[in-house]
Each structure stands twice: as C-alpha cells, then as structure tokens.
Amino acid sequence: MGASKHVIVGTAGHIDHGKTALVEALTGVNADRWEEERRRGITIDLGFADLDLDDGLRAGFIDVPGHERFVRNMLAGASGIDVVLFVIAADESIMPQTREHFDICRLLGVRRGVVALTKADLVEPDLVELVRLEAQEFVEGSFLEGAPIVAVSAKTGAGLEELRAALADAAREVTAKSARSRFRLPVDRSFVIKGFGSVVTGTLVAGAVSLEDEVEVHPLGRRVRVRGLQRHGEKVARADAGSRTAVNLAGIDASELARGMTLSEPGVFEPSTDLDCELDLLPSAPALKHGSPVHFHIGAAEIEGKALLLERSEETGQRIRSLAPGGRAFARVRLKEPALAVSGDRFVIRRFSPVTTIGGGRVLDPHPPHREAYAVRMARLRAFASGDLAKILDNLALTVRDRLEATDVVRRTGALEADIRAAAGGLLVVREAPLALVHRERLAVAQKKLLDDLAAFHKANPLLAGKPRGAVHSGPFATAPEGFVEYVIASLVKAKKVAEDGELLRLATHSIQMDAEEEKARNAMVNAFAEAGLEVPTLKAFLPTLPVDAKRAQRLLGALLREGLLVRISVDLVFHRDALQGLLAKLAERKAQDPRLTVPEFKELSGVSRKYAIPLLEYLDRARITRRDGDARVIN
C-alpha cells in the first residue's frame, strides 16, 4: 500500500457495546476469528483488522473482548496500542467493564483516543446527548478529556465518516515508535500455516526485523530464523516498530510457541523474575498489602507473582506494609516465571479474588541487585524513574563494583550503544569494544586504593624497588576485571603518581631507603657477584659475610633480584646480569658456527666447572635459550 506511518488502534469497552460490529463497519473485516465467537455473538479473544485512514496513514485494529471473564485476553492486545477507540453504547451508557477497560488504558499509558457512542440508532437523540454528557464527565481529567465523542451506528453507517476522520486526526498525533532501538515483539498469537510452518503475531514495540534475521524466543532462549514477514497483512522484507507484524519462523515447532513469549534481537536481553517497578494503585482498589499475590500482565504475558513494597515510612523508618487506594510507590514484583521486560515497559496487576484490575505502572529496573543499602536503592529507582538515560548511567556507574558494562545497560533499558555513548558524557570509557564505562568517583576510589596499597607495600618493604604488577592484580584488586585495573594503573602513571619499572609498580616519589650498613652490604653484594663472573659463591656461604642481619640480607637480595641486577638460577645460585649477558653472547657466536654442543663443550665455552655448568644449562633450558637433545644441547 506504500503507507509511511502505521498506528495501532485498540478497542475498549463493555461487553455487547458493539466493538466488533464497529470495527467491521469501519474496515469490512469481522474480527471474530472463532466459529464460537460468531455463533454466540460474543468476542472471546483478540481480533485484527486494517484500515487506510488517510494518504500514508494506516491503522491496525486490535479488537478486544469486553466480557469480564476475558479481560486477560483484552490485556494481551492492549499493551501495544497507540490510539484507543473507546466504545460506550448509547442504550446502556457506562458499565463495569467500561470502567475497568478505561483504567487499563490509563495504566498502560495510552495517550490518545476517540470515544464512540455506538448503537445511536436504537435511542432518541436526547438520550444520545445525555450519554455524551456522561461520557464527558467520565473521562474528565484523563487522557481522553477533550477527545472527540462521535455518535455512530454500525448498522446504518451514521457517523462512520466522522469517526474515521477523528481516528485519522488522533493517529497523526501519535509519535512514531523508534526503529532506533533493540528489536522486541511480544507474541499475542501463535499458529501453523500449512506449507509455511510456525507463525507468531504481535505489535512490534521496538526496533525492526528483516527477512533472514536471527531472532531469540524468550523465555525459551531459542534462536531461530525469520523466513517470512507480514506487516498489516502485506508481505514485506522489513517491519518497523509500531506495526502489527506476523513472523514466519524457521527452526522451531509451533507447539513450542505460545502467547506471552517475546521475540528479540539475539543475545541482548535476559528474562527476569524480579522487576523493580513504579506501581500505581487504582482509587477504586482495596489497599495493597506487602507481599500480596497478583496477576502480572506485561506485553502479551500473564504471570503470577507477588508485590513487595520497597519504601520505608519517613516517620518510623520501617518498611511500608500497605499501599493505600490511589497511592503510588516503588515495588518489586517477584514472578513465578521469568518475563522479558526493559525499563519503561507498562504493566497491569489484577488481584486473585475477585479477579479485578487493581493497578499497574511501569517497569523501572528489570534486573535489580538483590542486596543494596536502602539509600542506594532509592537513588537507583529515582534515576530509572526519571527516564533520563544519562542519569541512569551515572547512577549505575557510581554503584557498580568496578566498571559499567554497556551490555548490562542494554539488557535493562534496551538502549542502543550509540545512545549510551551519547548519554555517557560524564563517564570515562575504559574499554571501547565491548563498551565499558567508569564513573569518575569510582575511578578516584580505585586510584586511592592503589596508592594506599603501594604506600603500605613501600613501608613494609623499604628495600624493594616496587610491587610486582601481578601482586596488585591478585591483592587489593583480586576481584576486579583485569582491564579495569590496568586502566587505573595507566591513569595514575599518566598523572605521574605511579611509576612503572618493568613489571614493578611504585609510587613516583618512592626510592629505596637504606641506612649506612644496608648501603654497604648492598654494594658488597653487587661487587662480589660482578667480580665473580660465572663462578659465584653460594648464597648460603655469602650472605652471612654481609654486615647486616640475615633478615635484612634477604631483603637486599630480593631488591637486587627485582631490579634485575642479580638473576637467580637455582635456590642457592645467583649471577650478576652482566655475567649472564656475556654467556649469552658466547652462545650466539657458537650458534653461528654449530648450534649443537655437549656439556664438556659448554664447560669449555663458559669456563666453568660442572658445579656451575649443569645449573646454568638447566636455567638456559627453562629460558628456552637452549633445548636438550639427548646428552647434548641445541642453541635456539
């Protein structure tokens, strides 16, 4: 059809007020799909039809059942609507399901609509005007205040053109759902088409999907292929957010699919059983007690759960145990089965007995921490409640243990990485791909942690040049991601607060502190091993000759080993690095002539006895400078 904008129009209203007949009068389609519905004249499940409202503007109708027994079916279709066609019969006016459906539309965040006074041909004009006044009073103060109220007759056709024009005006005001988001499609129907296989339908609430795309079925976690697409009944290569979409899936049996599941971009989202929410209780509902069981409706899913109130009384400091009618509070809904949700998704809750709608609201954080301080929890919930991605990022980056992974933000908000980057102006990028962020305050805490650790190390080890990098990773940052630790080190090196000496880290202001005796002992050790060449004394024999006690002698030795001036090749043998470099130079010359040499040849080359030759060769083997080949060695 070439339509450039698609909107979803959902009916709402009491049973037998003429919703299905009105949709048929507008579209020519009887939305009652089941034989039982047509035989009984009562809508039981969702029905669908399409209508071109204007040039470039097309409406997909979702016709919902009005009977109180089928409100759960009504909810499965109502979550994706842009415009409500609110139906009130002129011969009955406002009835119980009129009120409940109206409450549901408000709770689901519907912002636009048109009121249709149906069956206008059955009553006198004066009564139609009276019902009009009652309708105006009923919607006063709501999103439908000031909306067109059109008297119509599906039977005679009176008022249909006016209604169609009013729907077109409302549809034009709808802000198009963004295709610049992660693909999600809640499934409200699943069936089999002979020759094609498994098909699911739903309102595409976010992103876009194309032929041959791989999608994930939640909560199954199955990845399947899109082999066919229809948008509002037409075959297409791509469907965008805001359209009624049918998806033919390859790689899954229809028996595995059901209403309430969700298709999404693969590997992005994760279902959850704990959802932190902003909950509104209807004024007509009874007080909601902490832990009350509820029917939780989100997307096309209905899941049993319980509502846990999260706030505390300002007066007593104790958890609020009950939410009063008409109240609003932060709550955690704990579900018996996982649901796929992202921040901002709307939901409805219904009580168990009697089964009536009592409230709803919006999901704030679908993956909340299990343990956190109360003040931290409230700050997190307020950040999510703001709907401002920058505030959400700032909060999460401030409270996360080390760095904030963009993948975690995506699964909680559905945001694109490009939007996360744009909103993260106050955060530091510690890794480009996959994107990871750190809050400046968290970085400052980590920097202080490292500086304090190095200061403590220097105090305990004044004769050591620095702390090995590996010891930093396994010490104060043992549980931190390696990339984060390296970022902290690099930031302090750049700020010239930390210096790197090979694999050693030290405070930039640190230098080895030795008294006169230690300085004398250190020089004696360096000179002795430098002069000894490759025929060095054993440590067991040499260390007691130094003018310091055994403990300080070991510290001096450790410092020289860390500096690389001395190199340990066995428990009791160390060599000056210059002596070993000289040996390596001789081996390089020998390799050019003949890379193979025996132990006697090595003894002659190095000028040492067997006492030193064997430990030296074993050291060279470990260092992969030589390799053993029978009784000989080959120089690598």
Side-chain angles (χ1 to χ4, degrees):
M1 298 293 294
S4 59
K5 182 178 180 181
H6 295 79
V7 297
I8 306 300
V9 177
T11 63
H14 194 75
I15 183 174
D16 202 32
H17 275 204
K19 296 185 294 298
T20 302
L22 184 57
V23 170
E24 184 174 7
L26 286 167
T27 67
V29 176
N30 185 338
D32 281 343
R33 297 178 288 111
W34 297 5
E35 187 277 330
E36 182 184 359
E37 292 178 305
R38 300 188 182 193
R39 176 171 49 81
R40 294 173 58 186
I42 176 175
T43 299
I44 297 172
D45 206 349
L46 303 176
F48 308 94
D50 292 284
L51 176 66
D52 287 322
L53 290 171
D54 204 346
D55 185 33
L57 184 62
R58 194 172 197 191
F61 280 82
I62 301 178
D63 184 33
V64 305
H67 196 286
E68 61 180 341
R69 288 171 51 198
F70 305 119
V71 170
R72 58 186 303 200
N73 292 345
M74 178 268 182
L75 280 160
S79 61
I81 68 174
D82 302 304
V83 176
V84 61
L85 177 55
F86 197 69
V87 174
I88 302 174
D91 61 340
E92 287 191 335
S93 192
I94 296 162
M95 299 292 282
Q97 255 51 61
T98 311
R99 299 180 184 279
E100 184 169 17
H101 282 205
F102 184 60
D103 287 336
I104 288 170
C105 289
R106 288 192 298 167
L107 292 168
L108 290 176
V110 179
R111 292 288 174 263
R112 290 172 178 79
V114 176
V115 180
L117 304 182
T118 56
K119 304 186 181 182
D121 58 306
L122 300 182
V123 297
E124 296 298 323
D126 289 348
L127 186 55
V128 172
E129 291 309 307
L130 177 60
V131 174
R132 184 190 299 274
L133 292 174
E134 291 176 345
Q136 287 176 341
E137 183 179 357
F138 179 68
V139 301
E140 188 175 342
S142 77
F143 72 97
L144 281 179
E145 182 174 10
I149 301 177
V150 183
V152 296
S153 169
K155 184 177 181 179
T156 68
L160 289 180
E161 286 304 314
E162 183 183 352
L163 178 61
R164 187 178 287 107
L167 287 171
D169 289 341
R172 274 189 286 270
E173 295 175 1
V174 171
T175 301
K177 294 183 175 70
S178 176
R180 274 186 49 80
S181 54
R182 304 286 183 164
F183 162 67
R184 285 188 301 137
L185 185 145
V187 175
D188 54 35
R189 288 179 66 203
S190 65
F191 49 92
V192 175
I193 296 181
K194 189 174 181 179
F196 292 90
S198 304
V199 176
V200 296
T201 70
T203 300
L204 208 166
V205 297
V209 63
S210 300
L211 284 174
E212 301 304 321
D213 277 356
E214 183 183 54
V215 298
E216 189 167 2
V217 182
H218 295 286
L220 297 179
R222 288 274 300 279
R223 297 191 180 194
V224 296
R225 179 174 58 85
V226 176
R227 67 178 180 188
L229 277 177
Q230 284 193 3
R231 181 183 62 191
H232 293 270
E234 296 178 347
K235 289 184 179 181
V236 291
R238 171 187 165 104
D240 295 319
S243 59
R244 283 295 303 174
T245 306
V247 187
N248 182 202
L249 298 173
I252 191 167
D253 192 84
S255 62
E256 300 176 79
L257 300 166
R259 171 180 289 175
M261 293 182 175
T262 303
L263 302 186
S264 82
E265 185 176 335
V268 171
F269 298 108
E270 183 181 343
S272 172
T273 54
D274 279 4
L275 307 175
D276 278 1
C277 307
E278 184 179 65
L279 175 62
D280 291 307
L281 198 61
L282 292 173
S284 58
L288 181 70
K289 294 182 180 180
H290 173 73
S292 293
V294 294
H295 291 282
F296 184 79
H297 296 263
I298 187 166
E302 176 192 4
I303 307 172
E304 292 183 10
K306 57 183 178 180
L308 309 172
L309 301 176
L310 297 178
E311 297 185 43
R312 294 178 181 174
S313 166
E314 294 184 2
E315 297 178 358
T316 66
Q318 299 298 311
R319 183 197 292 270
I320 295 174
R321 307 304 299 184
S322 179
L323 181 61
R328 169 179 289 182
F330 293 136
R332 178 167 296 177
V333 179
R334 181 156 293 157
L335 303 172
K336 289 187 176 181
E337 299 174 9
L340 181 62
V342 301
S343 187
D345 283 355
R346 308 292 301 198
F347 68 90
V348 168
I349 59 171
R350 308 186 80 215
R351 66 192 298 192
F352 267 65
S353 182
V355 183
T356 56
T357 301
I358 57 173
R362 57 184 175 137
V363 174
L364 299 180
D365 187 355
H367 294 282
H370 289 293
R371 293 184 180 180
E372 61 185 335
Y374 179 72
V376 174
R377 173 186 291 164
M378 290 299 106
R380 174 177 56 85
L381 293 175
R382 284 191 287 270
F384 274 97
S386 73
D388 186 328
L389 184 57
K391 291 181 179 178
I392 293 172
L393 291 173
D394 188 77
N395 176 269
L396 293 180
L398 187 60
T399 55
V400 75
R401 189 186 67 197
D402 295 302
R403 65 189 177 198
L404 177 62
E405 299 286 350
T407 52
D408 184 47
V409 178
V410 171
R411 75 179 183 132
R412 292 161 95 165
T413 67
L416 296 176
E417 185 175 298
D419 295 329
I420 293 173
R421 286 181 181 274
L427 305 180
L428 301 168
V429 176
V430 296
R431 190 182 62 222
E432 286 290 343
L435 180 64
L437 307 165
V438 65
H439 198 284
R440 294 180 188 276
E441 291 184 26
R442 295 297 300 170
L443 178 61
V445 170
Q447 288 174 328
K448 184 177 185 302
K449 185 178 179 181
L450 178 56
L451 293 173
D452 289 347
D453 180 67
L454 290 178
F457 180 84
H458 294 326
K459 184 176 181 181
N461 304 277
L463 299 180
L464 298 183
K467 186 171 185 177
R469 187 184 297 264
V472 171
H473 281 271
S474 60
F477 293 95
T479 60
E482 183 175 338
F484 175 72
V485 182
E486 288 303 317
Y487 184 87
V488 174
I489 292 171
S491 68
L492 289 171
V493 171
K494 184 177 181 180
K496 298 184 178 180
K497 294 182 178 181
V498 168
E500 296 175 291
D501 295 325
E503 283 301 303
L504 296 181
L505 298 175
R506 61 176 174 83
L507 295 177
T509 56
H510 172 72
S511 60
I512 295 176
Q513 302 296 320
M514 292 182 288
D515 57 27
E517 284 186 339
E518 290 167 342
E519 185 74 33
K520 183 179 179 180
R522 179 186 185 280
N523 292 336
M525 192 180 306
V526 172
N527 292 334
F529 284 93
E531 292 171 1
L534 293 176
E535 293 189 330
V536 295
T538 65
L539 292 175
K540 183 178 181 180
F542 177 78
L543 292 182
T545 68
L546 296 174
V548 292
D549 59 54
K551 188 175 182 179
R552 286 193 291 170
Q554 286 289 347
R555 286 180 176 175
L556 287 169
L557 173 63
L560 290 170
L561 290 171
R562 294 184 189 281
E563 287 181 52
L565 275 175
L566 298 183
V567 179
R568 187 191 293 272
I569 70 165
S570 67
V571 173
D572 207 30
L573 289 178
V574 298
F575 293 81
H576 196 282
R577 67 183 177 192
D578 291 346
L580 289 177
Q581 288 297 325
L583 176 60
L584 294 179
K586 290 181 179 180
L587 288 172
E589 291 178 7
R590 170 59 189 257
K591 181 181 178 181
Q593 301 169 7
D594 182 2
R596 186 180 178 83
L597 77 169
T598 63
V599 173
E601 288 172 332
F602 178 75
K603 289 167 58 180
E604 182 180 351
L605 177 74
S606 60
V608 298
S609 65
R610 187 176 181 85
K611 172 185 174 182
Y612 297 105
I614 298 304
L616 281 168
L617 282 170
E618 290 175 348
Y619 163 74
L620 294 170
D621 290 345
R622 290 195 302 274
R624 297 185 179 181
I625 296 168
T626 61
R627 69 179 186 275
R628 192 160 187 163
D629 184 16
D631 294 332
R633 295 295 197 287
V634 176
I635 305 169
N636 291 325

